[in-house]
């Protein structure tokens, strides 16, 4: 049953590259702009249809979380389930570059996508998924609504609504999710910028693994001290169901 659930994204022809910049001579304060430089280098590789960077990727088993300070939201209280820490103010969170949603084939249902306008110093914005709207803004138009995080940072204006997609794992299901521009990360808010970025690459045709040598060359052309790990998105999806496949067998 889990293997036939809709993912909310197109796992075909997508290669995920984990880029560790720890050994690169980059000041941590400049990592965000450096990450965008890396994504641009990958997007220019022949055979790459789309590319985007993010702090987290679907079905990787890890996630970023935020606690909402949202006017009109239900009072914070525990919800039943295997993880009591989940409560009525918690949301999944991801920090992404322009092009990331397009790489995954995640549709923008209302408003607009993140783009180059959403830079450091610009109006802090966010995108939310349909599950977020149904839970926190039922019966209201989400575009123009404000999002605040209990962890701090400026309020963010919702400029777009995107279709639901799995995040942590297939068995975890769809959760309310907020997407913020990676370029605006330094404006404050939950989750720190780490030394890693996940660059997702959609191949124009054929197996995405065939792009690995060219993508590696483009990245090391920017800085030869990067540490790279490659894995297809479909492999990640399959691996996320290993437990269920073993039990079924």
């Amino acid at each position: 049953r889990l293997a036939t659930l809709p993912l909310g994204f197109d796992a075909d022809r997508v290669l995920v590259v984990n880029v560790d910049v720890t050994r690169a001579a980059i000041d941590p304060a400049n990592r965000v702009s450096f990450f965008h430089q890396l994504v641009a280098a990958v997007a220019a590789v022949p055979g790459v249809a789309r590319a985007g960077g993010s702090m987290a990727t679907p079905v990787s088993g890890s996630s970023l979380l935020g606690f909402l300070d949202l006017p009109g939201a239900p009072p914070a209280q525990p919800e039943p389930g295997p993880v009591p820490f989940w409560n009525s103010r918690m949301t999944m969170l991801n920090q992404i570059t322009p092009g990331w949603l397009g790489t995954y084939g995640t549709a923008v249902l209302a408003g607009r996508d993140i783009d180059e306008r959403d830079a450091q110093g610009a109006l802090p914005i966010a995108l939310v998924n349909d599950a977020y709207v149904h839970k926190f803004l039922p019966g209201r138009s989400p575009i123009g609504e404000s999002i605040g995080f209990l962890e701090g940072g400026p309020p963010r204006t919702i400029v777009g609504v995107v279709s639901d997609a799995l995040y942590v794992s297939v068995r975890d299901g769809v959760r309310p999710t907020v997407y913020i521009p990676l370029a605006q990360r330094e404006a404050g808010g939950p989750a720190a910028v780490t030394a890693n970025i996940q660059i997702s690459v959609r191949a124009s045709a054929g197996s995405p693994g065939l792009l690995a040598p060219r993508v590696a060359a483009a990245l090391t052309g920017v800085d030869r001290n990067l540490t790279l790990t490659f894995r297809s998105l479909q492999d990640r999806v399959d691996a996320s169901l290993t437990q269920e496949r073993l039990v079924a067998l």
Side-chain angles (χ1 to χ4, degrees):
R1 183 181 63 82
L2 288 175
T4 60
L5 286 178
L7 302 173
F9 55 83
D10 183 5
D12 186 40
R13 292 187 286 114
V14 175
L15 181 69
V16 180
V17 189
N18 178 70
V19 184
D20 187 336
V21 304
T22 302
R23 296 191 304 159
I26 302 297
D27 188 319
N30 297 325
R31 278 179 182 164
V32 169
S33 59
F34 183 64
F35 288 161
H36 282 79
Q37 184 182 354
L38 295 177
V39 172
V42 171
V45 170
V48 171
R50 301 291 295 269
S54 62
M55 289 293 99
T57 53
V59 298
S60 63
S62 61
S63 63
L64 306 177
L65 301 173
F67 287 90
L68 297 173
D69 181 14
L70 183 67
Q77 53 186 322
E79 292 183 350
V83 186
F85 199 47
W86 268 103
N87 64 51
S88 59
R89 294 273 182 131
M90 186 181 283
T91 180
M92 312 304 292
L93 181 71
N94 204 352
Q95 303 160 3
I96 64 175
T97 70
W100 189 86
L101 291 169
T103 301
Y104 279 84
T106 301
V108 178
L109 305 177
R112 68 171 179 87
D113 197 350
I114 289 170
D115 59 32
E116 287 73 15
R117 290 173 288 176
D118 306 311
Q120 179 67 27
L123 173 72
I125 63 100
L127 305 181
V128 297
N129 68 346
D130 214 20
Y132 179 100
V133 175
H134 286 300
K135 182 168 184 177
F136 296 111
L137 300 170
R140 295 157 62 182
S141 173
I143 305 300
E145 291 281 347
S146 180
I147 297 178
F149 290 100
L150 295 177
E151 296 90 336
R156 294 184 173 273
T157 301
I158 298 175
V159 298
V161 179
V162 303
S163 57
D164 289 337
L166 300 178
Y167 191 158
V168 179
S169 69
V170 176
R171 71 180 68 87
D172 190 59
V174 171
R175 299 279 191 177
T177 307
V178 176
Y179 301 92
I180 66 175
L182 180 60
Q184 293 184 347
R185 169 59 194 86
E186 293 169 311
V193 174
T194 68
N196 293 71
I197 185 172
Q198 311 288 324
I199 300 180
S200 301
V201 186
R202 176 168 294 280
S204 300
S207 169
L210 298 176
L211 289 174
R214 280 175 280 174
V215 169
L219 290 170
T220 54
V222 177
D223 192 303
R224 64 181 183 179
N225 294 313
L226 302 176
T227 302
L228 310 176
T229 307
F230 296 84
R231 190 172 190 183
S232 77
L233 181 59
Q234 188 60 58
D235 282 349
R236 284 192 170 186
V237 173
D238 293 342
S240 73
L241 295 172
T242 299
Q243 174 182 314
E244 283 75 17
R245 293 187 190 282
L246 287 172
V247 171
L249 185 63

